[in-house]
Amino acid sequence: MTAAFNPTLDQLDSIDSHDFITVFSPKTSCSTATLIHILQANRHYFIEKIAQRGVLLFRGFTPCSTEEFHQLVTQGLGLEPWNSFNNNNMPAFIASWLRKYSEGLLGAGDYRRYLDKNTVQLGPVESSIQGPHVEGGVRSERSRYLALCCFEPAPYLAETGMVDLGQVYRELPSKIQEKYYKAWNRFYYISQRKVGLVDKILLKRSPFTMLVRPDGKAHLALTPCPAVCRVPETGELCIQPWAFAKNTNEISHAAAVQAFPNRGKINKDSTADGMNLTWELCDAKGHSLDWSTTEQRQLFDNIFNKAYLMNWQKGDIALVDNIKIGHWRMNGEQGNRKLVQIQANAFDASQFRA
């Protein structure tokens, strides 16, 4: 059922600019405060639209502050901020410290600064292309929606790559579809350094199962999560990647180089290269499944070749379905780029597994 039309939508123009992106722009000059009221009056319409399309982009409105951006998500759309890393709502300075601590323990990370307990400024641009992922995709407990606001675009390239994960899954060979349909993603890390008493205390409060190895480093395992899950509103099956693993980095990098030949030298993703993280497939009983390099390359080729590269403009606000749409940062120049993210609405992928 489609949500009822509200007259306030007359204030907006909309165009389906891509297979999974709808762009909304004001017919006349429109402030962020007015946009918040429009979203509030048409909340069900826009929530349904996100599930159907994947990405809603609001462009041409007056640039907002971080406070207004937060109000747009919470008051306009009625979403509940839920950050997969900071789901205990720790203050910004503690969340930022823990993020930096975890990166030191694991050897690398996509450093992001917490502006408040719900709002983060995304990490700096590099000469590499990130591995495609859904936010928080190492665990079943992840955010359902992502809200992104561009306060300042990069001076050169550094787009956000996006892809429809339902289309990616549908266009894989049927035999491979069946394999992913039954599979679970399993992730485990080896710590960069030996773990001490403070590490052990902190890790007890984490989602990791820890085993200290003879060399003093920690084997940190996460509970398997579905390789494919459904969009709740539509039932669409979507593959769920989280490609920051060392064992998939070379293959992902080769696929990116081939898919984007006119972007100069592209280095390997430093986050995946720095962490000793393994991404493998297993069955429902936890038995490892063979996942060949050919199958991995086929997946990454399929993702990158279907990508839409979002060129950000100042003031852009994007609302993204974090189950249907995968994303990653492209290479480019950082400059004064400032892209801010709010994750919203807790989602348990294991409840919607294929």
Side-chain angles (χ1 to χ4, degrees):
M1 178 182 291
T2 303
F5 175 81
N6 189 298
T8 57
L9 287 175
D10 281 344
Q11 296 173 256
L12 305 180
D13 283 321
S14 68
I15 182 171
D16 292 342
S17 65
H18 187 71
D19 291 345
F20 55 83
I21 299 175
T22 297
V23 181
F24 293 91
S25 56
K27 290 186 176 180
T28 59
S29 179
C30 190
S31 67
T32 305
T34 301
L35 177 58
I36 291 171
H37 290 306
I38 293 172
L39 293 174
Q40 195 171 34
N42 300 277
R43 187 174 289 167
H44 295 300
Y45 169 84
F46 286 109
I47 294 298
E48 284 186 6
K49 198 78 171 174
I50 296 173
Q52 293 165 1
R53 299 289 296 154
V55 181
L56 308 185
L57 176 64
F58 296 88
R59 171 167 284 171
F61 298 87
T62 56
C64 65
S65 63
T66 53
E67 292 78 13
E68 285 179 315
F69 177 47
H70 192 275
Q71 290 170 8
L72 185 145
V73 173
T74 57
Q75 297 177 24
L77 286 168
L79 302 179
E80 182 179 353
W82 190 90
N83 188 291
S84 58
F85 184 82
N86 187 25
N87 55 30
N88 292 320
N89 285 324
M90 295 175 289
F93 74 95
I94 296 178
S96 293
W97 180 85
L98 281 173
R99 183 105 193 175
K100 198 165 186 178
Y101 160 80
S102 67
E103 289 166 358
L105 180 66
L106 300 177
D110 176 32
Y111 178 66
R112 49 186 64 186
R113 181 162 57 92
Y114 282 74
L115 306 180
D116 59 45
K117 61 185 179 181
N118 303 129
T119 312
V120 296
Q121 182 172 337
L122 298 183
V125 174
E126 298 182 346
S127 57
S128 61
I129 292 175
Q130 277 185 324
H133 59 285
V134 293
E135 202 70 30
V138 285
R139 301 170 60 199
S140 285
E141 297 80 12
R142 63 193 65 158
S143 54
R144 173 62 200 280
Y145 302 106
L146 305 179
L148 300 163
C149 183
C150 180
F151 287 88
E152 192 66 45
Y156 179 65
L157 299 179
E159 312 94 329
T160 296
M162 296 183 180
V163 71
D164 183 335
L165 296 171
Q167 182 187 19
V168 169
Y169 178 73
R170 288 191 301 273
E171 295 189 10
L172 290 169
S174 57
K175 186 176 180 179
I176 302 300
Q177 282 186 36
E178 183 178 359
K179 181 174 189 171
Y180 287 129
Y181 184 86
K182 297 178 180 178
W184 296 74
N185 289 330
R186 180 162 59 191
F187 300 92
Y188 61 88
Y189 299 82
I190 305 298
S191 66
Q192 183 71 12
R193 53 175 172 76
K194 295 180 180 180
V195 291
L197 179 60
V198 173
D199 297 318
K200 293 175 183 178
I201 292 171
L202 290 172
L203 286 167
K204 277 187 177 180
R205 300 176 61 86
S206 78
F208 292 111
T209 298
M210 180 180 65
L211 177 66
V212 179
R213 305 185 338 159
D215 61 5
K217 295 182 179 181
H219 180 283
L220 302 168
L222 290 159
T223 303
C225 53
V228 174
C229 69
R230 299 179 184 275
V231 176
E233 294 85 352
T234 65
E236 182 180 17
L237 294 174
C238 298
I239 196 159
Q240 301 287 281
W242 204 82
F244 289 106
K246 181 166 284 189
N247 67 310
T248 59
N249 193 26
E250 185 172 340
I251 299 166
S252 176
H253 173 251
V257 169
Q258 180 173 312
F260 308 110
N262 301 316
R263 300 181 67 92
K265 183 179 179 182
I266 298 172
N267 295 322
K268 288 183 183 178
D269 179 12
S270 63
T271 300
D273 210 36
M275 289 191 298
N276 194 351
L277 167 64
T278 298
W279 173 17
E280 63 180 23
L281 301 181
C282 66
D283 64 19
K285 294 183 179 180
H287 300 140
S288 293
L289 298 175
D290 179 60
W291 193 25
S292 70
T293 56
T294 300
E295 291 169 342
Q296 293 174 23
R297 178 60 188 264
Q298 190 173 39
L299 174 62
F300 291 123
D301 281 342
N302 210 13
I303 289 174
F304 287 131
N305 290 334
K306 291 176 174 55
Y308 174 83
L309 305 186
M310 175 80 79
N311 284 289
W312 293 99
Q313 296 181 17
K314 189 168 184 174
D316 280 353
I317 295 171
L319 303 172
V320 181
D321 187 324
N322 189 44
I323 306 304
K324 179 177 172 60
I325 303 297
H327 68 282
W328 61 91
R329 185 180 60 242
M330 296 294 294
N331 61 318
E333 293 180 11
Q334 171 64 25
N336 295 319
R337 177 184 184 266
K338 183 179 179 182
L339 192 62
V340 170
Q341 179 202 81
I342 295 175
Q343 300 178 34
N345 287 32
F347 179 84
D348 187 350
S350 67
Q351 300 300 311
F352 293 92
R353 66 175 299 268

